[in-house]
Amino acid sequence: GQSLEQPSEVTAVEGAIVQINCTYQTSGFYGLSWYQQHDGGAPTFLSYNGLDGLEETGRFSSFLSRSDSYGYLLLQELQMKDSASYFCAVSAGNMLTFGGGTRLMVKP
Amino acid sequence: DTAVSQTPKYLVTQMGNDKSIKCEQNLGHDTMYWYKQDSKKFLKIMFSYNNKELIINETVPNRFSPKSPDKAHLNLHINSLELGDSAVYFCASSLISGANVLTFGAGSRLTVL
C-alpha cells in the first residue's frame, strides 16, 4: 500500500515563504503531485514531479527526492488567498493516493 | 461549461435510506473516479473506471455500487445509508488511468441523520 506524511497545519504571514513537506512510502512509485483545496471547494492540481529536482510554476515550486522518498511544496510571496489545504499525492499503479493534507493559514 | 459536474451538491437523509449521486465530465477523459473526503479532510479513493470498466475498488462496502453507462458518466448509488457514510463525495476524471492530473467536481456533501 501507500502512506504519506505531511504536517497537519502551518501558519505564516503575508509575503513570507513557506515549505510544506511530504514523505511517502509506496511501491511502484511514478511521481509526486500537489493539490490545493480551499474550504468548501474541490481539490485542484498545482504541480507534479516525476523526476528528482525542482519544478517552478509562478510563486509555487515543488521538489522531489526519490532516493529520500521526500518532496516539498514551496510557496513564495504568500497571499491571503493562499490560505487553503495542500495535499501531496503519489501515483502508484492505476491511482493517485493522497496524504492527509496540510492546512495553511496566512495571517496579515 | 463545467468540466466535471456532480449532482446533487447537498444530500440530507435518514439512516437506512438509499441515495444516488451523479457525475458527468465533458473533458473527453477516459478515466473517472469517486473519492470520499471525511470530516478530517482525508481524501480516499473509492472506485475508478476506465472507459466504463471498473479498474479500482478500494475495499468499499458493497452497499456502495458505482455505475458507468458511458465514459462520460459515473454514478454512485449507496444502499442502507449509515451515519459513517456522512462525508463529501468527489467525482474526478483524468485523461488516462493512473494520471497525476485529476479534475475534480465540486463535491456532494452527504449528511446521514
Side-chain angles (χ1 to χ4, degrees):
Chain A
Q2 292 88 31
S3 71
L4 299 97
E5 294 285 332
Q6 52 181 129
S8 57
E9 205 170 282
V10 171
T11 302
V13 296
E14 226 177 345
I17 299 172
V18 75
Q19 179 174 311
I20 300 173
N21 298 322
C22 175
T23 56
Y24 59 87
Q25 283 186 315
T26 184
S27 51
F29 176 80
Y30 291 125
L32 188 70
S33 304
W34 289 91
Y35 283 73
Q36 178 191 61
Q37 184 182 28
H38 286 100
D39 282 349
T44 55
F45 173 78
L46 284 178
S47 69
Y48 170 71
N49 294 73
L51 301 173
D52 284 2
L54 196 67
E55 293 284 340
E56 296 179 70
T57 313
R59 294 186 298 113
F60 294 1
S61 305
S62 57
F63 171 82
L64 175 65
S65 167
R66 295 171 75 109
S67 59
D68 294 323
S69 298
Y70 163 76
Y72 65 73
L73 179 70
L74 191 75
L75 298 89
Q76 302 183 75
E77 299 170 26
L78 279 172
Q79 301 175 10
M80 297 298 291
K81 68 178 182 178
D82 297 330
S83 292
S85 292
Y86 292 85
F87 295 85
C88 58
V90 292
S91 313
N94 279 325
M95 63 185 188
L96 204 57
T97 300
F98 287 81
T102 299
R103 187 174 182 84
L104 170 64
M105 287 186 286
V106 181
K107 297 189 170 178
Chain B
D1 250 5
T2 306
V4 179
S5 58
Q6 48 182 116
T7 55
K9 191 164 172 62
Y10 299 98
L11 268 170
V12 181
T13 190
Q14 301 285 335
M15 265 197 313
N17 283 351
D18 304 339
K19 287 293 175 188
S20 291
I21 307 171
K22 295 186 173 183
C23 180
E24 176 182 0
Q25 55 97 1
N26 63 6
L27 297 167
H29 288 171
D30 277 354
T31 310
M32 295 185 73
Y33 311 81
W34 279 111
Y35 278 84
K36 178 181 179 180
Q37 187 169 48
D38 62 23
S39 56
K40 293 182 180 175
K41 302 211 92 174
F42 187 60
L43 200 58
K44 183 171 168 51
I45 190 166
M46 300 173 69
F47 302 103
S48 173
Y49 272 75
N50 187 60
N51 240 325
K52 303 192 299 176
E53 185 184 333
L54 179 68
I55 54 171
I56 293 171
N57 181 344
E58 280 290 293
T59 59
V60 178
N62 57 16
R63 297 183 297 103
F64 290 78
S65 49
K67 276 199 174 62
S68 182
D70 55 60
K71 75 173 196 176
H73 295 85
L74 179 61
N75 304 322
L76 183 66
H77 187 77
I78 316 169
N79 289 325
S80 305
L81 278 157
E82 300 177 357
L83 292 177
D85 298 332
S86 294
V88 180
Y89 292 85
F90 284 100
C91 175
S93 72
S94 64
L95 197 58
I96 57 171
S97 172
N100 305 292
V101 184
L102 268 55
T103 302
F104 283 83
S108 297
R109 179 176 292 276
L110 171 65
T111 304
V112 182
L113 304 174

